[in-house]
Every structure is written in C-alpha cells, then in structure tokens.
Amino acid sequence: MDEIVAEYIRRTVLKIPRHEIKTMLQTWGFLSEAQLQTVNFHQTKDSVSREVVQLCKDNSADIKQAALLDIIYNHVYPNKRIWSVYQMNKSGEETDFFDLRDFKKKFKRRLQTALKNVTINFKEYEDNAIWIRIAWGTPYKKPNQYKTSYVVYHSQTPYVFISASVIRSTLPLLCQALVVASNYHDIREMELRSHCLNSLKDIVFKRYSQTFQTYYPRPLQERNVTSENVDLRIIQENKNEKERILRVNREVFGDGPQPKLEFAQYKLETTFKSNPSLDVSDIKEPFRCLVKFSSPHLLESLKSLAPAGLADAPLSPLLTCIPQKARNYFKIRERKGIFPGSFVSP
Amino acid sequence: HLATSLPLPSERDHLRPRIDLIAFMIDIKSKYSLKNVEASLAHVDASFFLGKVCFLVTGVGRVNYCSVETNAVWKLRDVYSSPVLYCELELEGIRVATAQRLLRMLQICAGHIPGVSALSFGSLMRNSEDE
C-alpha cells in the first residue's frame, strides 16, 4: 500500500474522537467485523490509528478507500469547515431526469480534462445528497490529499454547498464542472456562509419555522405566569411593554429554533452624513465601513436581544431579514433620488 | 414593584400603594443602564430626594467589564443627594446582605423605626461617606 495513503488514513483516524472510531470504521465497511474485533479501541488514539493502518495494509487499501473514509468523517462532522451556498440556474424549462451515473461521468471528465491531477470521489446519502470530494494537484504534481474541496449537491434542487479548499484558483473550475455535469446554465454564489451545514440547508430549503400573518389580536398563551420562582409580591410595572416586545419578537422570529449562523457582515458604501451643526463638510466619496456581527449562534442571540432589554423591538429589518433573504453578507448602498436613504443591494 | 424605566404606566395608578423608597439599579457593565436611570430621574417628584431615593450599582465584581465610570456615579450621588450602594448580584452572600440593607432602609423610609426619619438617615449616610 502506498505510504501516502497509509499516512492519510492514519491522520484521518486521528481526527475522529476516540469513542466514535469503531462506529465510523464500521460505517466505512472496508475492514471486516473480525478485523475490527482485533483492535483495542481503549488504548491511545495513536496506537489505535497505527493498528488500523496495519489492517488496511493487509487489505491493500487504495486512495479510493481512504477518500471514502474522509468523506464519511466530514459527513459526520461537517461543522469543522466553512460552507458557502451556490445556486444554479437553468435557462429553459427542461426538466431533465437526474441521472446519477451521467452526472458523475460528466463531472469527472470535465475536471480531469482541465486538470489531470485530481482525485475525485463520490458518496450518495439517503436524502438525495451527493457528496463529492476533490483533492487538487497541479499539472506537474500529484493531488495533495490534504488540500481538498467538498461539494454537497442535492440533485432535486438547484443548490450546491461547497466547502472550498485553500487553493482559490480551483473554485471556478469546480463551479464550471458542476454546471456542466448537472445540465444547468450557470451558477452564482449566494452570499450565505456558515460552519453549520444543516442550518444552511434549513435556510435554503425553508425548513426553519417561518412566521405567518396571524389575525388574532393576541396569540394564545400556552405558558402562564406560573413559572418556577414567581413571587406574587413582586409586581412588574411594565408588563404590557414586556408582552408587546415578546409578541413582536415572536412575529419576527417565529417559535421554533433558529438556523445556526456565526456571522453577519454589512459592507457600507454610503456617504457620510453629518449633523449640519457639526463643522464637517459633506464628503462626497462613500465612507467605507464594514460592520460584522459574530456570535456562536447569531440568530438566537438576535432573538433574545429585545426580551433582555438590550435593544428596542422590533429590530432593524437588516438583521431580521437574514433567513428570509438567505444571505448573511450584505452591501448597503446609497439610494439615489430625492429622498436619500439606504437600500440593500441584491 | 419592578419597572424598567420611569414614568410608571398610568393605567395601574389606582392599584399602586404608597411608594416609600426608590432604588435605581445601574449595571456597571452597561452605559445604556446609566442613561436609562438618568432619564428616569427626571420623572421623580422632588420630595423623594429627601432620603427616599438610593442608587444600587450592580455588577461590581467583574472589574474587566466596567463601562460606567465611578465619576459618573458620584456625580449622581452629589446632584441628587442620595446614597449609593455597591453590590454584586451574582454572589449569593452579597445579594442577601444587600437585600437586608435595602430592607432596613425601607423600614426607615416607611417610618417603621421610631426616632429615625428618612431625611436624618440620608444625611447620616452622606456624612459617613465623606469621611
């Protein structure tokens, strides 16, 4: 077995948390149950990884098997990478039936004619998700298995989730290959990025709890004020205001859990508008400013701002439109006209 | 009665008992809280400032997160002639002790302690601070 493959398998196994190694190897299915029994999974990860590599050598593993293990690892732990969302467009209305074999063939052919040295592997999952792993090389060097891109394509949708490799030049090539293989016309980046792949899918497939217009003047209250430590001697003076804030918040964010995003970025390209009493002349060029919000769970923290008294309700629509518009990177430009304001560019 | 700002909503005026003590809570980690208190002070009748108002500064345990300057708090104390208590609500011992102090002040302000009036107690606290 190739030394590169052996080392790659060893490093992949080392990434897996110790209590998960056995299950992941079983999912992989390359080593038989009998072989797995011979490994002591309670020793140090270093020793476990070496034993696994030895078994792989006995079975003559090649790069294809190693790549498959890597895909499985990334499928279970997708949140270690940053994913960007892309949308493909069809020009006409042809509803081609999706042929998996055709897709794979076209994809490989497109990439390999452009760049001879690539490793391409596919794995399909139940929810119509096709995982593609690509290891990039150069015209003169073999593929570097540690410089990989991952693509998750849901064949029944025009959306592709890409976790690109550090080599930026490979991205256009990858996009081109996807468009050609899937019989679409073009592809565009959706300004939506996050570590949490499932949340990106939730936003794009509209799987999170959306709010609808209700015509009830007040929502039904499932929970009364009989929560844990309510002392009846404490009287909240601003109860009406608190209820209004909760109601407005609920109308904006809905009831269910929010998709998990880590940042929202607003690039301002507006001119600086000063108070006329200040002695600053109106600068005509745009004031370049970047505002970035970051949080372990941005949307949940925005949802809890108003009830915690840290912001007025309702929040700015620039913040609350994130799931509906399916983007978290915005460019705000000057609105040209009689009433200067700002608007969000597409 | 807990309120987030003054003036109090008027629809509950008829339900409210007499107010003996107003404690303004300032979170030292939030400039917004100081601004809120300053805005609310404008709505307090002048007679309350004869010993029936105090400032409670919370969050003093977290030195790294101080947003409100001590000078700002002292200015409030001087302008409104009212005592300032410092506490850390996250520690149970201090929380209980502060509650006991407030309760004692409330008893005085409500007139339950014979011989001590709110005004005399207020000036006592002020003099002891200056020393």
Side-chain angles (χ1 to χ4, degrees):
Chain A
M1 187 166 82
D2 199 342
E3 267 317 302
I4 299 181
V5 173
E7 182 60 14
Y8 187 71
I9 295 181
R10 192 183 75 84
R11 292 214 194 170
T12 310
V13 171
L14 280 176
K15 284 199 290 192
I16 310 172
R18 189 149 67 139
H19 56 279
E20 288 290 331
I21 299 181
K22 184 163 185 193
T23 15
M24 209 166 277
L25 292 176
Q26 282 167 332
T27 316
W28 187 33
F30 178 65
L31 300 174
S32 71
E33 198 53 49
Q35 285 176 306
L36 287 177
Q37 297 290 357
T38 66
V39 180
N40 175 8
F41 290 100
H42 296 291
Q43 51 186 335
T44 62
K45 278 218 288 198
D46 206 42
S47 318
V48 172
S49 66
R50 286 185 204 284
E51 280 190 34
V52 168
V53 167
Q54 187 52 53
L55 288 174
C56 292
K57 282 196 170 136
D58 298 340
N59 284 18
S60 314
D62 61 10
I63 190 59
K64 182 155 184 257
Q65 311 300 333
L68 214 60
L69 181 61
D70 183 47
I71 295 185
I72 294 174
Y73 170 77
N74 280 290
H75 176 79
V76 174
Y77 299 103
N79 302 344
K80 300 235 185 264
R81 305 182 70 98
I82 292 199
W83 298 87
S84 303
V85 189
Y86 291 74
Q87 187 179 16
M88 297 194 281
N89 295 312
K90 259 204 238 282
S91 51
E93 273 140 42
E94 327 102 49
T95 41
D96 302 329
F97 289 114
F98 181 75
D99 184 348
L100 182 62
R101 273 219 319 239
D102 191 51
F103 172 81
K104 293 205 269 197
K105 200 171 69 171
K106 282 191 181 160
F107 186 81
K108 276 180 109 138
R109 194 169 61 199
R110 186 61 192 231
L111 270 189
Q112 279 166 342
T113 39
L115 189 65
K116 202 172 52 172
N117 286 322
V118 273
T119 316
I120 307 173
N121 298 87
F122 300 87
K123 184 158 167 60
E124 298 83 51
Y125 283 91
E126 323 74 40
D127 52 349
N128 277 328
I130 303 169
W131 278 66
I132 314 175
R133 174 188 178 276
I134 306 115
W136 304 95
T138 72
Y140 310 105
K141 288 203 297 202
K142 274 173 57 161
N144 183 343
Q145 298 303 329
Y146 300 93
K147 293 215 167 24
T148 46
S149 303
Y150 300 86
V151 175
V152 180
Y153 173 45
H154 283 252
S155 51
Q156 305 304 317
T157 75
Y159 297 106
V160 186
F161 304 89
I162 300 183
S163 176
S165 77
V166 289
I167 312 172
R168 285 182 178 281
S169 55
T170 58
L171 194 55
L173 192 58
L174 180 56
C175 291
Q176 218 179 43
L178 279 167
V179 167
V180 162
S182 54
N183 293 323
Y184 275 87
H185 196 235
D186 59 39
I187 183 170
R188 75 174 179 101
E189 188 171 1
M190 268 179 80
E191 304 295 342
L192 179 62
R193 273 162 231 143
S194 174
H195 280 277
C196 183
L197 180 61
N198 281 334
S199 287
L200 290 176
K201 291 190 191 184
D202 285 344
I203 293 177
V204 154
F205 300 148
K206 305 272 181 220
R207 293 194 301 218
Y208 61 98
S209 70
Q210 301 196 70
T211 56
F212 302 99
Q213 280 287 0
T214 52
Y215 292 102
Y216 310 113
R218 287 241 176 98
L220 301 165
Q221 288 176 304
E222 318 90 43
R223 267 180 311 171
N224 270 318
V225 196
T226 48
S227 36
E228 318 82 48
N229 339 307
V230 162
D231 189 335
L232 291 171
R233 292 175 297 179
I234 300 177
I235 297 174
Q236 300 275 1
E237 289 286 346
N238 307 96
K239 201 156 67 135
N240 284 347
E241 177 64 13
K242 282 193 162 72
E243 279 175 6
R244 181 195 77 90
I245 290 176
L246 284 177
R247 192 180 67 236
V248 165
N249 223 35
R250 211 164 164 187
E251 278 165 23
V252 169
F253 288 98
D255 275 328
Q258 301 292 311
K260 190 163 184 230
L261 295 174
E262 295 90 39
F263 23 74
Q265 190 171 292
Y266 299 83
K267 196 163 173 186
L268 298 178
E269 288 173 6
T270 52
T271 53
F272 185 75
K273 287 197 176 47
S274 63
N275 195 330
S277 64
L278 287 176
D279 212 10
V280 178
S281 58
D282 269 60
I283 307 165
K284 296 297 180 243
E285 306 95 52
F287 187 75
R288 289 193 297 180
C289 176
L290 187 77
V291 180
K292 185 170 180 179
F293 293 87
S294 50
S295 161
H297 198 318
L298 185 71
L299 294 177
E300 279 294 337
S301 62
L302 288 177
K303 185 174 171 183
S304 46
L305 274 180
L310 293 166
D312 294 327
L315 288 177
S316 156
L318 282 173
L319 291 169
T320 55
C321 71
I322 292 173
Q324 282 101 295
K325 291 220 162 119
R327 61 187 302 173
N328 55 355
Y329 285 74
F330 297 84
K331 269 209 187 75
I332 304 180
R333 288 209 198 94
E334 204 63 69
R335 191 210 301 267
K336 290 181 176 47
I338 314 170
F339 302 105
S342 63
F343 75 105
V344 181
S345 77
Chain B
H1 288 238
L2 293 180
T4 52
S5 63
L6 294 178
L8 294 174
S10 53
E11 55 264 13
R12 299 181 57 91
D13 274 341
H14 58 288
L15 295 170
R16 233 172 265 128
R18 183 190 72 200
I19 296 180
D20 290 314
L21 175 67
I22 306 180
F24 288 94
M25 295 179 66
I26 304 173
D27 185 354
I28 211 160
K29 305 191 289 286
S30 158
K31 277 203 166 87
Y32 179 73
S33 129
L34 180 67
K35 274 216 308 238
N36 194 12
V37 162
E38 283 172 349
S40 301
L41 278 164
H43 294 278
V44 176
D45 188 64
S47 59
F48 277 96
F49 293 107
L50 300 171
K52 295 198 177 174
V53 167
C54 81
F55 297 100
L56 186 63
V57 177
T58 67
V60 298
R62 296 197 183 265
V63 181
N64 293 347
Y65 294 97
C66 278
S67 260
V68 172
E69 287 163 28
T70 337
N71 284 340
V73 172
W74 286 348
K75 208 168 77 145
L76 280 182
R77 181 198 64 191
D78 294 334
V79 166
Y80 293 99
S81 304
S82 300
V84 180
L85 299 179
Y86 294 90
C87 75
E88 174 54 71
L89 292 178
E90 291 181 30
L91 296 173
E92 185 170 349
I94 301 184
R95 202 165 63 222
V96 167
T98 311
Q100 285 170 338
R101 288 174 81 180
L102 281 173
L103 200 56
R104 202 69 177 140
M105 280 178 71
L106 180 59
Q107 281 177 319
I108 296 172
C109 293
H112 288 192
I113 310 287
V116 186
S117 75
L119 192 54
S120 64
F121 181 70
S123 60
L124 184 69
M125 283 204 72
R126 213 165 33 250
N127 290 340
S128 69
E129 263 178 43
D130 288 336
E131 277 158 27

